[in-house]
């Protein structure tokens, strides 16, 4: 049994480091670009007098970095092979290792650098769920029209699942889509409802809107996904929600008599929720890797500082009050790192088996590994905030200042305990696996759920 990263992964990380040091860091340090990463970062990134939206200069810099990465052959690594991706059979392992490496790196780690600024989900190795969804569910026309445009940055879509009154309970959504005949005589739908936390709405070209087309509230069946152009009449931004970490691009969107043709449907009618689940597990293991890497960054910087800082005539690190919390965090981070990598390898193995048999890999991954991915994700996101908090404490007054990155790391990674599936939802998923049920028990059908879960385990 070998616990080291495979040589090909290590080689890729080395090449990635060379690229970052030769191309990305010089761009970060050019002119006045460091204002986006030092103590001025939040003020420099935010249009305080324009709804808190990102500044144009900030987004232009991110675009420059992505272009450099794309030209160097790194940005599209995780894309489908026919659109420039690597086509690796170990993609989950690669992406987990990459995300951990970028977030933990002593020079550009913590998620606060032009190589990997996680506030904007920006990375020199891209993560584009919309491309994956179009690749698996789009019609040939949709794929030809939208995927190349997405790769070029000309197709930018929000993800419209969460609503004003519904978050984790997405199957109870208020948004509906009713069949109509358009004035052209073409079959279509009228969409009414709302969506909240629509990230990227300020520069989106389209909205991916999930709406109920049949069935009752609470049923996973009867929900359909629509690709809606941003400028469609009836699509209105009600507000941008200011958040703990600014700038914001998270909109509340109102949908009033929004008319779209039937060709706007993405994937199967009444079974659109499957689209939302296509990329869930890949996203969660990658986020877990980033959070674990950020935790390691905070721990390592705290150890360095404690060794250098002299208090009462001796190193700060000589005090057990400093040592013990960092020992616990370091132990947790290393155990978690190994669990993440093992789970990523198992995801790749399940994916390979499903492709060989012509089955959808995300269904099998959910059944076989959903609980492990939940463990990795909820614990990593919590660990990142705990490590950032401890780093602030170890560094004292300077740790509390914005001249160090820890307050930014804490504010950013705190969001992931809510998004990508709240930690409560993921803990419940793990509990369902451990205790053999898939309901809260409130409906009185726990025995039936246990039998169902046992049956699924045999598949």
């Amino acid at each position: 049994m070998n616990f080291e990263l495979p040589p090909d992964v290590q080689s890729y990380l080395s090449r990635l480091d060379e690229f970052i040091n030769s191309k990305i860091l010089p761009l970060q340090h050019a002119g006045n670009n460091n204002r986006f990463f030092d103590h001025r970062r939040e003020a420099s990134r935010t249009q305080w007098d324009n709804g808190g939206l990102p500044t144009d200069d900030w987004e232009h810099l991110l675009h420059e970095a992505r272009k450099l990465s794309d030209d160097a052959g790194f940005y599209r690594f995780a894309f489908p092979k026919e659109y420039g991706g690597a086509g690796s059979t170990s993609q989950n392992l690669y992406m987990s290792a990459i995300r951990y490496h970028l977030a933990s790196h002593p020079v550009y780690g913590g998620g606060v650098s032009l190589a990997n600024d996680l506030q904007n989900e920006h990375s020199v190795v891209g993560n584009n769920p919309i491309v994956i969804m179009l690749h698996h569910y789009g019609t040939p026309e949709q794929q030809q029209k939208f995927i190349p445009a997405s790769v070029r940055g000309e197709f930018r879509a929000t993800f419209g699942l969460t609503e004003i009154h519904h978050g984790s309970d997405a199957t109870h959504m208020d948004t509906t889509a009713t069949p109509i005949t358009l004035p052209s005589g073409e079959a279509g739908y009228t969409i009414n409802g709302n969506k909240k936390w629509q990230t990227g709405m300020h520069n989106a070209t389209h909205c991916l809107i999930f709406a109920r087309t049949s069935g009752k509230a609470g049923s996973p069946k009867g929900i359909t996904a629509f690709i809606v152009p941003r400028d469609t009449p009836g699509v209105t931004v009600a507000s941008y929600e200011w958040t703990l970490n600014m700038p914001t691009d998270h909109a509340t969107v109102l949908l009033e008599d929004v008319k779209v043709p039937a060709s706007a449907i993405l994937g199967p009618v009444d079974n659109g929720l499957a689209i939302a689940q296509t990329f869930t597990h890949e996203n969660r293991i990658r986020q877990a890797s980033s959070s674990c890497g950020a935790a390691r960054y905070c721990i390592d910087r705290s150890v360095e500082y404690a060794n250098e800082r002299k208090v009462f005539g001796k190193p700060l690190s000589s005090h057990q009050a400093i040592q013990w919390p960092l020992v616990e965090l370091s132990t947790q981070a290393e155990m978690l790192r190994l669990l993440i990598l093992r789970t990523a390898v198992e995801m790749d193995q399940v994916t390979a088996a499903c492709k060989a048999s012509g089955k959808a890999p995300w269904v099998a991954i959910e059944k076989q590994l959903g609980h492990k991915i939940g463990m990795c994700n909820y614990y990593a996101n919590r660990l990142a905030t705990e490590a950032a908090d401890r780093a602030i404490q170890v560094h004292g007054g300077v740790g509390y200042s914005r001249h160090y990155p820890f307050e930014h790391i804490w504010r950013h990674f705190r969001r992931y305990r809510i998004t990508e599936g709240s930690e409560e939802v993921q803990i419940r998923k793990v509990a369902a696996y451990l205790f053999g049920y898939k309901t809260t028990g409130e409906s009185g059908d726990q025995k039936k759920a246990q039998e169902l879960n046992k049956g699924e385990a045999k598949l």
Side-chain angles (χ1 to χ4, degrees):
M1 184 177 293
N2 187 352
F3 292 96
E4 296 297 323
L5 289 175
D8 57 331
V9 178
Q10 295 185 42
S11 176
Y12 187 91
L13 296 178
S14 295
R15 296 197 306 275
L16 189 60
D17 282 338
E18 291 175 5
F19 162 70
I20 291 171
N21 282 288
S22 65
K23 297 294 184 180
I24 299 299
L25 292 185
L27 177 59
Q28 178 175 326
H29 300 317
N32 196 28
N33 287 340
N34 270 322
R35 73 188 188 277
F36 295 116
F37 305 98
D38 61 19
H39 62 280
R40 301 167 291 176
R41 54 189 167 263
E42 193 171 29
S44 299
R45 298 177 182 192
T46 307
Q47 298 183 56
W48 298 107
D49 57 352
N50 185 28
L53 294 175
T55 60
D56 293 338
D57 288 350
W58 168 231
E59 295 201 311
H60 177 71
L61 181 62
L62 297 178
H63 175 75
E64 280 191 82
R66 286 192 293 268
K67 187 176 187 310
L68 285 173
S69 182
D70 198 20
D71 291 344
F74 290 105
Y75 186 72
R76 302 189 205 182
F77 175 84
F79 283 32
K81 190 172 183 179
E82 51 266 56
Y83 299 103
S88 172
T89 57
S90 302
Q91 183 163 291
N92 288 297
L93 173 61
Y94 262 91
M95 288 299 288
S96 294
I98 291 167
R99 288 272 166 149
Y100 178 88
H101 179 76
L102 292 175
S104 63
H105 197 279
V107 176
Y108 42 79
V112 195
S113 81
L114 190 53
N116 189 52
D117 196 281
L118 295 173
Q119 183 190 42
N120 291 68
E121 300 300 331
H122 162 79
S123 176
V124 291
V125 181
N127 191 45
N128 194 327
I130 294 294
V131 168
I132 305 300
M133 294 172 190
L134 287 166
H135 177 64
H136 286 295
Y137 288 102
T139 63
E141 293 75 19
Q142 289 171 339
Q143 292 172 346
Q144 293 167 13
K145 180 178 180 180
F146 295 130
I147 293 182
S150 181
V151 171
R152 295 192 301 268
E154 298 166 4
F155 172 81
R156 302 177 299 277
T158 63
F159 187 79
L161 192 61
T162 300
E163 299 185 346
I164 295 174
H165 301 295
H166 300 288
S168 298
D169 58 339
T171 57
H172 290 263
M173 66 176 56
D174 296 326
T175 303
T176 60
T178 305
I180 60 168
T181 300
L182 297 174
S184 63
E186 182 182 2
Y189 287 81
T190 296
I191 303 174
N192 285 282
N194 65 82
K195 297 296 172 181
K196 193 168 184 177
W197 305 115
Q198 298 305 284
T199 302
M201 189 65 187
H202 69 298
N203 65 4
T205 61
H206 293 74
C207 304
L208 181 59
I209 300 295
F210 293 83
R212 182 162 292 284
T213 45
S214 68
K216 298 180 179 179
S219 172
K221 298 290 185 180
I223 294 173
T224 303
F226 297 84
I227 301 174
V228 181
R230 166 66 179 87
D231 58 2
T232 304
V235 177
T236 306
V237 174
S239 62
Y240 285 96
E241 312 311 318
W242 288 42
T243 59
L244 186 65
N245 215 9
M246 295 292 282
T248 178
D249 58 355
H250 313 298
T252 295
V253 178
L254 304 182
L255 306 160
E256 185 176 358
D257 292 331
V258 177
K259 294 178 173 56
V260 296
S263 60
I265 293 173
L266 176 64
V269 175
D270 290 340
N271 199 25
L273 213 54
I275 298 172
Q277 296 169 341
T278 302
F279 201 67
T280 297
H281 298 102
E282 286 84 351
N283 242 9
R284 286 180 179 173
I285 200 70
R286 294 174 189 182
Q287 179 54 53
S289 302
S290 292
S291 294
C292 187
R296 172 51 63 190
Y297 175 85
C298 292
I299 295 164
D300 289 347
R301 302 293 77 72
S302 297
V303 170
E304 288 177 358
Y305 182 82
N307 280 331
E308 295 169 357
R309 178 74 168 177
K310 297 293 192 301
V311 293
F312 303 107
K314 56 184 179 180
L316 182 63
S317 60
S318 64
H319 297 277
Q320 288 182 342
I322 299 297
Q323 297 170 2
W324 288 18
L326 291 173
V327 167
E328 288 193 15
L329 288 168
S330 187
T331 303
Q332 293 163 359
E334 181 59 14
M335 289 191 295
L336 179 62
R337 183 184 72 89
L338 294 172
L339 177 60
I340 289 170
L341 294 175
R342 173 182 170 176
T343 303
V345 169
E346 291 176 339
M347 291 172 68
D348 287 328
Q349 292 170 343
V350 171
T351 299
C354 287
K355 286 183 176 179
S357 60
K359 296 180 180 178
W362 50 90
V363 176
I365 287 174
E366 164 63 21
K367 290 181 177 180
Q368 298 177 41
L369 298 171
H371 63 289
K372 282 190 178 181
I373 297 167
M375 288 178 184
C376 293
N377 191 268
Y378 97 80
Y379 199 81
N381 297 335
R382 184 185 295 180
L383 186 65
T385 56
E386 291 175 351
D389 184 78
R390 178 51 51 182
I392 292 171
Q393 192 70 20
V394 170
H395 283 75
V398 295
Y400 183 71
S401 77
R402 297 195 177 200
H403 294 275
Y404 281 72
F406 307 119
E407 57 82 31
H408 181 97
I409 293 171
W410 186 89
R411 285 188 290 119
H412 171 72
F413 282 90
R414 184 59 182 83
R415 70 180 271 198
Y416 292 115
R417 295 175 63 182
I418 301 170
T419 61
E420 286 300 325
S422 70
E423 64 181 39
E424 290 83 3
V425 168
Q426 296 193 63
I427 289 170
R428 184 174 179 272
K429 180 189 290 286
V430 178
Y433 172 80
L434 290 179
F435 298 102
Y437 62 84
K438 287 200 172 181
T439 73
T440 60
E442 293 176 356
S443 62
D445 60 352
Q446 183 168 331
K447 183 177 180 181
K448 180 179 178 181
Q450 288 175 329
E451 293 173 353
L452 174 63
N453 196 56
K454 289 177 182 177
E456 287 184 351
K458 295 176 181 178
L459 296 179

